[in-house]
Amino acid sequence: MYVIGTAGHVDHGKSTLVKALTGIDPDRLQEEKAREMTIDLGFAWLTLPSGREVSVVDVPGHERFIKNMLAGVGGLDAALLVIAADEGPMPQTEEHLDILNLLGVDRGIVVLTKRDTVDDEWLALVEEEVRERLVGTTLVDASIVAVSARTGQGLGDLRREIDLLLEHTEPRADKGRPRLPVDRAFTIAGFGTVVTGTLTDGSLKTGQEVEIVPGGLRSRIRGLQSHKHKVESVGPGNRVAVNLVGLEVDDLRRGMVLTLPGTLEPTTRVDVHLNLLAGAPLTLEQNSRLDFFTGAAETAAQVTLLDTDTLEPGGSGLVQLRLQEPVALLRGDHYIVRRPSPGLTIGGGEVIDPYPRRHKRFNEETLHTLRTLQRGTPEELLLEALGNIPQEVKAVVEKSGVDVAVAVGTLGKLIASGQVLQLNGPASSVLSPQSSALVMSAPAWEAMMKRVGTLLGHFHHHQPLRRGMSKEELRSRLAKDVHAKTFPHVMSLGVSRGMLGEDATTYRLPGFEPTYTPIQKKQIERLMELHESSPYSPPAPHEIGMDPEVVASLVEGGELVKLGDNLLYTRKAYDEMRVQILKAIDEQGEINIAFMRDLFGTTRKYAIPFLEHLDEQKVTRRAGDVRVRW
């Protein structure tokens, strides 16, 4: 699922376009219908030619309702920048484009509406003007589509263009930490309180316990809807309506965030990187007062400039914002700042640290830390350096670029929390930046174990008599993902956690045992009877019609010891012969083939291969015609 939103000047036909595309009138308020002007957020949805479903957020274009617009453009996958063909870019076109740019919305389509009111020459001039304005913005490569909602001209092209745009847009990642910035809260008779928003960072499901932040309100999800269809669960990147148990609508307000209990804390101080628009009509000074917008939230803020005396239009800097009201956000969230009066968007950027201490201005240590965090938190940088393969601690620390002491301490915390796994060596070894201990991110290891389980399950299905897949075969199957030197350590953790079974040469799924048919069981009984009657001169398996797969299974299980293609001993007989041979050597200093033949009442056919086998195992050593200890 994807969410797209409109943007553009008032009266340029955003709501009319949405209705023409979707068949849904996004203007839901009586006042909007009476004034024929969008005042608050509107919502619709459509199915594209590919079958892809898309949510649509329609925003007001009038400058007096810019705060409502800002509450709706968080979490967009793409934007439709709507410009009337008969007027071209206007003041709110400019401000809305600045907002999209500051929020990092880098996928979009420019829609020239009212195509039926202009000729081709005028349309070409407007397209040229739009192209010039897009230079230097995130939408510089956006396609331009001309449409008429009145006649339907170009609507099919627009649907196809949206489809193409989203085809190359990555779906929202599920980070296991759902956040739903609340943009509406209302009551439905018979159901109770409902909140809506665009879900990010995780999934929600019916019956789940949730928390509203700020406020610390606890509730449970009674029901979920997406596009007015009841669903049991919903993933990130969806417009969602959540029916909550035990909360009154008066307890809620736009800008709160619905999340899982204990996963998000509100803050009244935030470190940010601030980009001041080149067209901003002011120089930002220490203690300037601004309006701060993030997600669906807004609050007043006061500025502490950390690395400069003043911030000029077009400049950027490190800033701490002191918020009048608590806000729930995370590192990397985008935000917008506006001049309070007269209201105007002047800048924005990304959150570096949502929970900072109060900083002294121009402190080099603070500035160094913030510039490092701007690239990512130590945790994120270390996890990025780890990637999906096992690596030595010293390599990860070096690749991360994080201060060594901070990196080692952070890596220890990641191991303690289970986000990173240590594959070998004592736990204390990670405390050294030069440690050769192997570490691997938990999700990467779990993904590898899942693949290993699939490979072993497939092997067991097709080879039910084999105890497991040979270690070398499994290693070769995973050669692209794990180096031969680290492979045993990766597997060892799986064995210690009960996810794998292991013997000297194979891996298997836990609890797996070969299953023999009744005929095969009779073959095994017959073979063992013959071995018992003649333990030192056993029959060759093919002489009694043994299934080769059954023989291989018995060898893997250690019940038979294989000395050659046609020579196998029971484990008991093999061990007895080995012990007696070594005892004889210790007593006599040496033995020969004749002695062994007489010792076990066998023939050269059996004596020679057995002694050669002991030579290969470096138990004995041939010296002329005799054997001595190795």
Side-chain angles (χ1 to χ4, degrees):
M1 188 74 76
Y2 296 91
V3 180
I4 61 175
T6 62
H9 196 75
V10 64
D11 288 336
H12 276 205
K14 294 184 297 299
S15 300
T16 304
L17 173 67
V18 170
K19 186 175 181 180
L21 278 174
T22 68
I24 301 169
D25 186 354
D27 287 339
R28 53 191 171 77
L29 304 177
Q30 289 300 320
E31 184 180 358
E32 289 176 320
K33 298 183 184 300
R35 297 172 61 177
E36 297 185 349
M37 181 176 68
T38 300
I39 296 172
D40 203 354
L41 301 176
F43 309 99
W45 54 90
L46 77 156
T47 302
L48 294 170
S50 66
R52 187 179 287 115
E53 289 195 11
V54 178
S55 298
V56 183
V57 180
D58 185 42
V59 303
H62 198 285
E63 61 179 342
R64 284 187 295 165
F65 306 116
I66 193 70
K67 293 182 178 182
N68 291 342
M69 180 269 183
L70 286 166
V73 291
L76 295 183
D77 295 299
L80 301 180
L81 181 62
V82 178
I83 302 173
D86 60 343
E87 289 189 330
M90 298 290 282
Q92 290 311 117
T93 308
E94 300 288 335
E95 185 168 13
H96 283 208
L97 180 57
D98 284 338
I99 289 169
L100 295 176
N101 191 52
L102 290 166
L103 292 177
V105 179
D106 58 0
R107 295 184 182 276
I109 300 169
V110 177
V111 185
L112 300 182
T113 54
K114 306 182 182 181
R115 171 65 181 90
D116 56 308
T117 64
V118 299
D119 57 27
D120 292 345
E121 183 178 359
W122 181 267
L123 184 67
L125 290 172
V126 173
E127 286 186 5
E128 183 178 355
E129 182 182 4
V130 169
R131 277 286 171 221
E132 291 175 357
R133 179 61 186 88
L134 294 178
V135 173
T137 74
T138 53
L139 298 184
V140 62
D141 295 322
S143 58
I144 300 176
V145 180
V147 305
S148 169
R150 187 177 67 84
T151 67
Q153 182 182 359
L155 291 178
D157 293 336
L158 179 55
R159 290 188 183 94
R160 286 187 289 274
E161 199 65 36
I162 296 171
D163 228 348
L164 181 63
L165 182 69
L166 296 180
E167 182 179 344
H168 301 287
T169 301
E170 287 292 326
R172 293 299 179 106
D174 191 332
K175 301 176 183 177
R177 184 190 55 206
R179 289 194 293 161
L180 186 81
V182 175
D183 51 39
R184 290 181 65 204
F186 51 92
T187 300
I188 297 180
F191 291 92
T193 300
V194 175
V195 297
T196 68
T198 300
L199 183 60
T200 64
D201 293 349
S203 301
L204 294 175
K205 60 183 179 181
T206 302
Q208 203 166 25
E209 299 295 324
V210 293
E211 182 179 11
I212 309 296
V213 182
L217 302 172
R218 297 293 183 100
S219 182
R220 180 174 53 81
I221 298 177
R222 174 181 286 146
L224 293 167
Q225 280 195 6
S226 182
H227 298 175
K228 291 195 174 182
H229 291 290
K230 184 177 179 180
V231 293
E232 291 301 313
S233 63
V234 63
N238 284 277
R239 287 291 307 174
V240 187
V242 185
N243 186 197
L244 297 171
V245 174
L247 293 182
E248 300 297 328
V249 71
D250 292 340
D251 297 331
L252 305 169
R253 67 177 186 276
R254 174 176 284 177
M256 287 179 161
V257 178
L258 183 149
T259 186
L260 300 183
T263 60
L264 191 60
E265 292 290 334
T267 183
T268 55
R269 185 183 290 120
V270 57
D271 288 342
V272 302
H273 183 261
L274 175 61
N275 298 301
L276 200 62
L277 291 172
L282 55 80
T283 296
L284 200 61
E285 299 179 346
Q286 173 66 7
N287 291 323
S288 294
R289 294 185 178 275
L290 301 171
D291 287 337
F292 175 84
F293 299 82
T294 185
E298 67 166 290
T299 185
Q302 196 167 7
V303 172
T304 297
L305 298 173
L306 297 176
D307 61 351
T308 184
D309 286 315
T310 60
L311 193 59
E312 301 293 333
S316 63
L318 297 172
V319 173
Q320 184 167 94
L321 297 174
R322 290 159 281 159
L323 308 179
Q324 182 174 305
E325 299 290 338
V327 173
L329 42 65
L330 293 174
R331 197 198 76 78
D333 285 353
H334 286 83
Y335 69 92
I336 297 292
V337 289
R338 304 190 80 233
R339 182 182 64 188
S341 182
L344 181 68
T345 299
I346 60 168
E350 289 189 38
V351 173
I352 298 175
D353 186 354
Y355 308 108
R357 294 177 295 178
R358 184 175 180 179
H359 300 312
K360 290 183 179 180
R361 300 179 66 199
F362 306 109
N363 181 283
E364 285 302 320
E365 183 178 351
T366 297
L367 297 178
H368 174 74
T369 300
L370 288 177
R371 286 169 184 143
T372 300
L373 288 176
Q374 194 173 352
R375 294 189 297 118
T377 65
E379 290 86 351
E380 290 171 330
L381 293 173
L382 284 163
L383 289 172
E384 182 179 355
L386 265 173
N388 295 321
I389 60 174
Q391 299 184 63
E392 292 184 353
V393 168
K394 58 186 178 183
V396 176
V397 170
E398 183 177 348
K399 285 168 62 177
S400 71
V402 177
D403 175 82
V404 172
V406 173
V408 171
T410 302
L411 195 53
K413 292 177 182 177
L414 290 171
I415 291 171
S417 68
Q419 297 178 69
V420 172
L421 303 175
Q422 186 175 340
L423 303 180
N424 67 337
S428 60
S429 64
V430 301
L431 299 179
S432 166
Q434 295 303 313
S435 171
S436 59
L438 286 171
V439 288
M440 188 176 187
S441 80
W445 181 82
E446 289 163 1
M448 187 168 291
M449 287 299 101
K450 185 175 181 180
R451 186 177 173 201
V452 167
T454 300
L455 288 172
L456 292 179
H458 187 267
F459 182 86
H460 291 328
H461 177 73
H462 291 280
Q463 303 285 346
L465 299 186
R466 304 289 298 275
R467 292 191 63 82
M469 183 185 292
S470 76
K471 292 182 176 181
E472 181 56 31
E473 181 181 354
L474 182 58
R475 188 202 63 76
S476 67
R477 296 284 191 96
L478 299 172
K480 292 183 179 180
D481 303 311
V482 59
H483 192 275
K485 291 182 178 180
T486 58
F487 171 77
H489 302 292
V490 173
M491 297 299 108
S492 180
L493 184 59
V495 173
S496 67
R497 292 192 172 187
M499 302 172 73
L500 301 174
E502 176 189 27
D503 56 35
T505 60
T506 68
Y507 288 113
R508 62 184 179 277
L509 292 178
F512 174 80
E513 292 291 342
T515 53
Y516 302 107
T517 66
I519 292 176
Q520 290 167 338
K521 288 179 181 178
K522 287 183 179 180
Q523 287 183 356
I524 294 171
E525 290 173 2
R526 174 61 177 159
L527 178 67
M528 292 307 178
E529 288 173 359
L530 293 172
H531 271 268
E532 284 292 327
S533 64
S534 181
Y536 309 129
S537 304
H542 70 274
E543 294 175 349
I544 58 174
M546 284 292 295
D547 184 338
E549 289 296 320
V550 174
V551 174
S553 177
L554 294 173
V555 171
E556 281 186 347
E559 296 167 80
L560 294 178
V561 179
K562 185 176 182 180
L563 273 63
D565 289 340
N566 294 312
L567 183 56
L568 295 99
Y569 289 88
T570 64
R571 171 59 64 179
K572 179 183 176 183
Y574 174 85
D575 289 343
E576 287 176 353
M577 295 173 73
R578 188 175 184 274
V579 168
Q580 291 190 50
I581 288 170
L582 292 177
K583 181 181 177 182
I585 292 175
D586 291 339
E587 291 175 349
Q588 302 172 187
E590 62 184 37
I591 65 168
N592 57 25
I593 293 174
F595 178 86
M596 179 183 168
R597 183 191 61 198
D598 295 339
L599 180 63
F600 296 108
T602 185
T603 66
R604 293 172 61 88
K605 173 184 174 182
Y606 297 97
I608 292 174
F610 200 101
L611 288 175
E612 289 177 345
H613 166 77
L614 292 182
D615 293 343
E616 292 171 1
Q617 298 295 310
K618 295 186 178 181
V619 175
T620 60
R621 178 169 54 85
R622 184 172 179 176
D625 292 332
V626 300
R627 257 71 176 191
V628 296
R629 266 193 182 269
W630 182 268

